[in-house]
Amino acid sequence: MKKIVYIFALVFVSPLSLFAAEDSAVDECTETYNKTLTGDWGGARASLCNQGMNVDLVHKSDVLSTVAGGIKQGTAWLGHTEVGVGLDLEKLWGWDKMTAFVLYHSQLGSKFNANYVGSFMGVDNIETGVNGTQFYQAWVQKNFAEDRFSLLGGLYAIDSEFYVTETSGLFLQPPYGMANDLAQSNGPPIFPIGALALRLKYVADDFSVQYALMDGVPGDPNNPYGTHIRLDKGDGSLSIVEFGYAPKLSGEGAEGREYFNKTAVGYWRYSSRFADLDPAVVDALGNPIRHASQGAYFLAERTLFVEDDQPSNGLSGFVRFGTATSSIHQADKTGSVGLHYHGLLDGRDDDMAGIAVTVNHASDKYRMLNNSSSIETNVEAIYRAQINPWFALQPTVQYINHPNMDPVLKNIWVLGVRAEIGL
């Protein structure tokens, strides 16, 4: 990987003398990369960073076991590796207020939920339908009007900015990234596949509004391997808009304090229409009745309290709720609530602990057609132990009630651990 980065730098940014020695022996970039497993690569990584190119590598390995219920008992390994390159194009080439970002990743290992668990929402946020490698994001952004406006274009994933709460990112279960009401729709551009998109954002003090328009069918459904950008007839588009309010903490004691205060509402809709869940619902000519796929959501996260002697530590919470068209989706409503404590144990200020609950409500039509239960409820308790700056272990305990709303499938207990390495 080190050789690949050197070649990339020589081909694209060699005119800038990126490998020139820095005036200061230790700078912010050097300190950052010295906290990774592979370090500063003899000064090359920090030199790239100082000239506008940040290279971040992360590997995650998960081992999970079903100890009760589900499809079957057993243990599986899942792996995920990603390379992210952030570019400050103003530093690199003098392109005023422009940035770019590329994220390439790979997935390996078993299909744990599909083969062992069988839940609606899944149990691990790095599990994918097939193993492979692809570009997840590759976009360019231009800022205007003192950075209040920004326009982004390229390969984009909506779960990088829309419908997300920072405090829920601790958990392994998938709906604490993108919630299930939107994730279940017609292949939205969320992990692991992005879509060709335009995103416009406006930020004014504590308020923000963002809108994205993207390909309605990311990638190539007939070829899930590799990176594909196709704009086929009939794909349609997906639109999403979000209004946010996030007042900043100011005044005495603000510096160094962990602080979350965000509220947002959003709405999404596909331009294409989709067949009713019930194949018997047809028009006078015998064609399936088709409906709009759309939904709305609300989210909030708050700092509940901070420790007096350690303002970077404390308790935060989040709540999220969303809806989706009931006539075409399995779940018409989903909701999550959770708590996140930074520095729960004395002397372990970098550790995090959390507990969260998600409820997925089956639509009336889905229950009628499948004789299903009305809800699937998922609970996760997790602890992230930061062993050193580049290595963390996250043991997790999960309980799933009425998996996939299936009245026959037994309730599930899952035990697991994630090892995360900053390379």
Side-chain angles (χ1 to χ4, degrees), residues 1-15 18-19 41 44 48 53 55:
M1 180 59 65
K2 179 178 177 180
K3 291 182 179 179
I4 293 174
V5 174
Y6 268 101
I7 292 170
F8 183 89
L10 288 170
V11 171
F12 291 100
V13 291
S14 57
L18 293 180
F19 297 103
W41 303 344
L48 288 166
M53 178 187 291
V55 181

Side-chain angles (χ1 to χ4, degrees), residues 74-221:
T75 300
W77 171 82
L78 300 87
H80 170 82
T81 303
E82 64 182 36
V83 180
V85 179
L87 302 174
D88 184 332
L89 301 181
E90 186 169 5
K91 282 186 177 180
L92 286 169
W93 299 317
W95 296 359
D96 185 45
K97 295 185 179 296
M98 292 189 68
T99 55
F101 180 67
V102 177
L103 181 60
Y104 188 78
H105 61 192
S106 69
Q107 294 79 43
L108 297 170
S110 300
K111 307 305 160 197
F112 184 71
N113 185 59
N115 297 331
Y116 293 88
V117 179
S119 73
F120 169 66
M121 73 172 226
V123 296
D124 194 300
N125 56 19
I126 64 171
E127 181 175 346
T128 57
V130 298
N131 291 336
T133 61
Q134 63 273 125
F135 284 97
Y136 178 38
Q137 299 193 65
W139 49 255
V140 176
Q141 177 174 292
K142 169 71 173 177
N143 287 15
F144 306 89
E146 298 181 340
D147 296 330
R148 290 184 179 270
F149 282 98
S150 64
L151 177 64
L152 177 152
L155 194 64
Y156 177 71
I158 56 173
D159 54 351
S160 63
E161 294 185 299
F162 289 84
Y163 207 169
V164 292
T165 45
E166 187 175 347
T167 49
S168 64
L170 171 66
F171 299 92
L172 264 64
Q173 291 181 336
Y176 303 113
M178 177 52 67
N180 291 333
D181 45 283
L182 177 50
Q184 70 179 335
S185 67
N186 186 48
I190 61 176
F191 177 87
I193 300 175
L196 194 63
L198 289 173
R199 190 272 290 141
L200 179 64
K201 179 187 287 187
Y202 174 71
V203 179
D205 299 324
D206 300 334
F207 295 91
S208 66
V209 57
Q210 55 186 357
Y211 169 80
L213 176 67
M214 64 221 77
D215 184 10
V217 182
D220 182 355

Side-chain angles (χ1 to χ4, degrees), residues 53-354:
M53 178 187 291
N54 292 287
V55 181
D56 295 309
L57 301 92
V58 176
H59 174 77
K60 300 173 184 178
S61 279
D62 297 353
V63 177
L64 298 169
S65 297
T66 48
V67 296
I71 298 172
K72 63 179 180 180
Q73 310 229 322
T75 300
W77 171 82
L78 300 87
H80 170 82
T81 303
E82 64 182 36
V83 180
V85 179
L87 302 174
D88 184 332
L89 301 181
E90 186 169 5
K91 282 186 177 180
L92 286 169
W93 299 317
W95 296 359
D96 185 45
K97 295 185 179 296
M98 292 189 68
T99 55
F101 180 67
V102 177
L103 181 60
Y104 188 78
H105 61 192
S106 69
Q107 294 79 43
L108 297 170
S110 300
K111 307 305 160 197
F112 184 71
N113 185 59
N115 297 331
Y116 293 88
V117 179
S119 73
F120 169 66
M121 73 172 226
V123 296
D124 194 300
N125 56 19
I126 64 171
E127 181 175 346
T128 57
V130 298
N131 291 336
T133 61
Q134 63 273 125
F135 284 97
Y136 178 38
Q137 299 193 65
W139 49 255
V140 176
Q141 177 174 292
K142 169 71 173 177
N143 287 15
F144 306 89
E146 298 181 340
D147 296 330
R148 290 184 179 270
F149 282 98
S150 64
L151 177 64
L152 177 152
L155 194 64
Y156 177 71
I158 56 173
D159 54 351
S160 63
E161 294 185 299
F162 289 84
Y163 207 169
V164 292
T165 45
E166 187 175 347
T167 49
S168 64
L170 171 66
F171 299 92
L172 264 64
Q173 291 181 336
Y176 303 113
M178 177 52 67
N180 291 333
D181 45 283
L182 177 50
Q184 70 179 335
S185 67
N186 186 48
I190 61 176
F191 177 87
I193 300 175
L196 194 63
L198 289 173
R199 190 272 290 141
L200 179 64
K201 179 187 287 187
Y202 174 71
V203 179
D205 299 324
D206 300 334
F207 295 91
S208 66
V209 57
Q210 55 186 357
Y211 169 80
L213 176 67
M214 64 221 77
D215 184 10
V217 182
D220 182 355
N222 298 317
N223 183 6
Y225 302 97
T227 305
H228 306 277
I229 299 177
R230 297 169 59 98
L231 299 175
D232 294 333
K233 183 178 180 180
D235 280 1
S237 61
L238 168 62
S239 298
I240 185 169
V241 61
E242 180 178 294
F243 299 88
Y245 174 67
K248 308 298 186 296
L249 185 66
S250 60
E252 185 177 353
E255 186 176 353
R257 179 178 174 183
E258 185 171 73
Y259 181 72
F260 302 99
N261 188 1
K262 176 183 177 181
T263 304
V265 294
Y267 171 77
W268 56 270
R269 181 184 175 95
Y270 286 86
S271 63
S272 299
R273 301 176 75 85
F274 302 90
D276 195 282
L277 282 172
D278 187 351
V281 177
V282 295
D283 61 19
L285 299 177
N287 299 314
I289 296 292
R290 304 179 75 83
H291 309 274
S293 177
Q294 59 187 338
Y297 61 87
F298 164 84
L299 62 87
E301 63 180 339
R302 296 286 188 274
T303 294
L304 303 177
F305 72 82
V306 296
E307 298 179 3
D308 292 336
D309 58 344
Q310 189 61 266
S312 64
N313 294 353
L315 180 68
S316 303
F318 67 89
V319 60
R320 306 198 303 180
F321 176 79
T323 65
T325 308
S326 61
S327 54
I328 59 176
H329 293 118
Q330 178 174 344
D332 59 358
K333 294 184 286 287
T334 74
S336 299
V337 62
L339 294 173
H340 170 167
Y341 203 111
H342 191 160
L344 178 64
L345 302 180
D346 290 340
R348 302 290 308 176
D349 292 339
D350 293 329
D351 290 2
M352 301 178 191

Side-chain angles (χ1 to χ4, degrees), residues 385-418:
Q386 196 70 44
I387 308 302
N388 59 42
W390 53 263
F391 181 60
L393 287 175
Q394 291 181 250
T396 178
V397 179
Q398 303 181 23
Y399 175 70
I400 304 169
N401 182 259
H402 295 142
N404 204 32
M405 297 94 165
D406 188 336
V408 177
L409 203 58
K410 293 182 180 179
N411 296 340
I412 303 163
W413 283 95
V414 173
L415 300 179
V417 64
R418 166 172 291 176

